[in-house]
C-alpha cells in the first residue's frame, strides 16, 4: 500500500465523522435509513452540501455534465443533498484535490480517471492506446459489467470510490509539424500529461514526450519548447490550440474517460439513500457526457478548420500496429483488462 493511500485511509475516517456530525448527525440517520425501506428519503437523512472539483471551465461540456449530475442528485434526494461545482481548478489542481478528498478540501473530483495513476497503477488503463474500436464499444465496456469490475478494482487499490465513467473525448494530435505517419513523430517534442503511461506510449513511438501541466502548453508551443500536444478536440479548443498549432492529426489513440471520484470511507459514511442517489446520478450524467463528447466533437473540430488548420486523417492500422506489444512489455498487469475490453466489443 502506497503512503498516499495509507494517509488517505487514516484521515478519511476522521473527516467523515467531523463532516457528518456538522450536518446535524447524518451518521445516525444512515443507520435509521437502513430500516426505513427508503419509504421517505427526505425524512431519513439530514441536509448536506458536497464540494465538487472540476479542472475544466464553465464553457466545457464536462462542466455541463457536472451540472446535470448536481441537478439529478438534488432531484433524487428532494433537495436534501446538494452539489457545489468548483470549475477551473478553483479548489486546487486535480492532484491536490484527490489528496484532499480525505481532508475535506473537496468531496468529489470529476475528472479523468488517469489522474489516479499517482495512487494506483491500475488507473493507467484509462490511457492505454487503441483499446476501443468505436464509441459503441466504449459504452459497452463502461456502461456494463467489465467497466464496473475495473472501476471497483481501481477504487479498491487506492481507497477511492469511482461513480460512473463517461467519455471526455477521443484524443488527437495538434502540432506545428505535419504528422502523416508514425515515422513523423520520431524525435518530436510532444507535450503529454504528467501521467506515466502517456510518457511511455509516446517514447515507444519514438517521440520526445515532455510532461507538462495543461496550463503551460500554449506558451510552450508558442516558444517552441514543444512541437505540439495531444488531447480530445474539446480540451484542445479549451487550451486554444487552434491559435498556436497548424496541424491536427486524428490519431484517435485514446478514449479519455471521466468519473466522479470520492474517498471510499467518506462515501460509505453517507446515508444509504445518498449513496444510491449519487450512484444513479453519476451513471446518468456519465451517459450524458458521452453523448456530449460525440455531439460536440464535430463542432470543436470546426474551430480548427475555421482557424485554417490542416486536418490529417492517418492510416490508423499503422498506429495500432506500432503499439503492438506495448502493454505486454511496459504494463503487463493491464493486459487482463485490455483483453476484457477487447472481448466486450459489440461489433
Amino acid at each position: 500500500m502506497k503512503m498516499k493511500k495509507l494517509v488517505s485511509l487514516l484521515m478519511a475516517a476522521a473527516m467523515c465523522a467531523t463532516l457528518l456530525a456538522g450536518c446535524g448527525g447524518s451518521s445516525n440517520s444512515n443507520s435509521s435509513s437502513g430500516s426505513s425501506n427508503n419509504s421517505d428519503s427526505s425524512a431519513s437523512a439530514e441536509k448536506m452540501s458536497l464540494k465538487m472539483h472540476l479542472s475544466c471551465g464553465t464553457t466545457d461540456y464536462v462542466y455541463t455534465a457536472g451540472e446535470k449530475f448536481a441537478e439529478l442528485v438534488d432531484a433524487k434526494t428532494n433537495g436534501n443533498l446538494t452539489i457545489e461545482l468548483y470549475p477551473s481548478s478553483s479548489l486546487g489542481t486535480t492532484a491536490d484535490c484527490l489528496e484532499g478528498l480525505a481532508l475535506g478540501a473537496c468531496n468529489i473530483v470529476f475528472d479523468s480517471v488517469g489522474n489516479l495513476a499517482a495512487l494506483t497503477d491500475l488507473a493507467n488503463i484509462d490511457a492505454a492506446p487503441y483499446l476501443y474500436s468505436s464509441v459503441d464499444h466504449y459504452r459497452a465496456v463502461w456502461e456494463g459489467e467489465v467497466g464496473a469490475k475495473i472501476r471497483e478494482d481501481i477504487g479498491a487499490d487506492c481507497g477511492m470510490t469511482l461513480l460512473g465513467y463517461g467519455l471526455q473525448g477521443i484524443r488527437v494530435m495538434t502540432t506545428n509539424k505535419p504528422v502523416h505517419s508514425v515515422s513523423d513523430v520520431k524525435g518530436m517534442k510532444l507535450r503529454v500529461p504528467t501521467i506515466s503511461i502517456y510518457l511511455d506510449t509516446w517514447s515507444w513511438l519514438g517521440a520526445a514526450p515532455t510532461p507538462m501541466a495543461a496550463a503551460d502548453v500554449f506558451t510552450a508551443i508558442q516558444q517552441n519548447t514543444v512541437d505540439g500536444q495531444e488531447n480530445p478536440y474539446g480540451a484542445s479548443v479549451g487550451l486554444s490550440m487552434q491559435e498556436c498549432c497548424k496541424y491536427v492529426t486524428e490519431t484517435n489513440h485514446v478514449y479519455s474517460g471521466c468519473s466522479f471520484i470520492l474517498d471510499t470511507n467518506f462515501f460509505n459514511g453517507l446515508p444509504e439513500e445518498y449513496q444510491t442517489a449519487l450512484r444513479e446520478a453519476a451513471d446518468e450524467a456519465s451517459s450524458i457526457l458521452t453523448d456530449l463528447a460525440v455531439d460536440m466533437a464535430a463542432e470543436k473540430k470546426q474551430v480548427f478548420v475555421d482557424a485554417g488548420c490542416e486536418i490529417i486523417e492517418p492510416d490508423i492500422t499503422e498506429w495500432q500496429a506500432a503499439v503492438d506489444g506495448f502493454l505486454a512489455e511496459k504494463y503487463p498487469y493491464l493486459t487482463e483488462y485490455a483483453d476484457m475490453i477487447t472481448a466486450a466489443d459489440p461489433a
Side-chain angles (χ1 to χ4, degrees), residues 198-227:
Y198 285 103
L199 178 66
D200 291 336
T201 297
W202 289 102
S203 294
W204 179 277
L205 292 172
T210 303
M212 185 184 300
D216 300 326
V217 178
F218 188 91
T219 300
I221 292 177
Q222 278 190 321
Q223 297 177 348
N224 296 317
T225 302
V226 295
D227 301 312

Side-chain angles (χ1 to χ4, degrees), residues 180-202:
H180 294 277
S181 67
V182 175
S183 62
D184 291 332
V185 304
K186 302 297 182 183
M188 176 175 278
K189 295 177 293 182
L190 189 71
R191 177 269 171 180
V192 297
T194 54
I195 298 172
S196 62
I197 193 168
Y198 285 103
L199 178 66
D200 291 336
T201 297
W202 289 102

Side-chain angles (χ1 to χ4, degrees), residues 220-243:
I221 292 177
Q222 278 190 321
Q223 297 177 348
N224 296 317
T225 302
V226 295
D227 301 312
Q229 61 95 46
E230 47 85 63
N231 250 315
Y233 268 118
S236 294
V237 170
L239 294 171
S240 300
M241 291 297 100
Q242 74 277 5
E243 298 178 11

